[in-house]
Structures are given as C-alpha cells and as structure tokens.
Amino acid sequence: MKTHTFVAAALLLSGCDVTTETRQPPTIKDIEMCQQRIAVKTNYAVTAMSDNSLDNKSKDNRGWVYVNYQKDNNRGYLKFRCNSSYVEVWAAGAAMWTGL
C-alpha cells in the first residue's frame, strides 16, 4: 500500500494529473470530415448540414461529432453523429441511434 501511495504522490508532483480531460470538442476539420462521410452515405448536400454545437460541446459526447441536416422546405432536421468507425442517424420514433 505504501508503494501505491508513493507512486500516486510522485505522479501528482511531476504534473501528471489523472483527472485531466484527454478528449477535446471536435475541430472544424472533424466536423467537415463527418459531413463528407454523411454526404457519401446519404447523397445529402453538405451545404444543408450544420454543426450541432450544443451536443459537440458536451463532455458526455466526446469521441463523437454531431451534425444536423436541414430538410427541404424547412420540414425539420435530421441529427447525425460520426466517430472514427460509425455514421449514425437519430431515429426519433424509436428514440435510438441507427447506423448507416
């Protein structure tokens, strides 16, 4: 137990903080890449897509990029999210994310 306490104290003194947030909000490049991936899978115009800044800023959503797609004639929007492996759309009726 003394060894564990010593190691923890040494790490804290050296500036290693285990509570530091390692994942950051998505960058503009991340958002553009997500928009391109959505466009390839759905044929939706990138110009009708926008950053979902509220979800992108949330610490609970780190690792995902959120993008909204404005439907034609302002009939609402579709909510998409991307990470390194998946592109998903929010299925409001089922209240769940569905992979594309």
Side-chain angles (χ1 to χ4, degrees), residues 28-85:
I28 292 172
K29 185 177 179 180
D30 295 332
I31 293 166
E32 289 173 352
M33 289 297 294
C34 182
Q35 290 173 335
Q36 291 296 327
R37 291 176 64 200
I38 293 167
V40 166
K41 290 189 173 280
T42 63
N43 291 326
Y44 291 156
V46 173
T47 55
M49 295 181 199
S50 63
D51 165 28
N52 184 333
S53 61
L54 182 67
D55 285 334
N56 282 333
K57 290 179 183 175
S58 173
K59 286 187 178 183
D60 295 334
N61 296 331
R62 297 292 160 84
W64 290 94
V65 178
Y66 289 81
V67 172
N68 291 333
Y69 171 77
Q70 181 69 44
K71 293 181 185 178
D72 294 335
N73 300 322
N74 292 326
R75 295 179 303 150
Y77 67 92
L78 296 174
K79 186 174 178 178
F80 291 92
R81 72 178 184 178
C82 305
N83 69 11
S84 59
S85 304

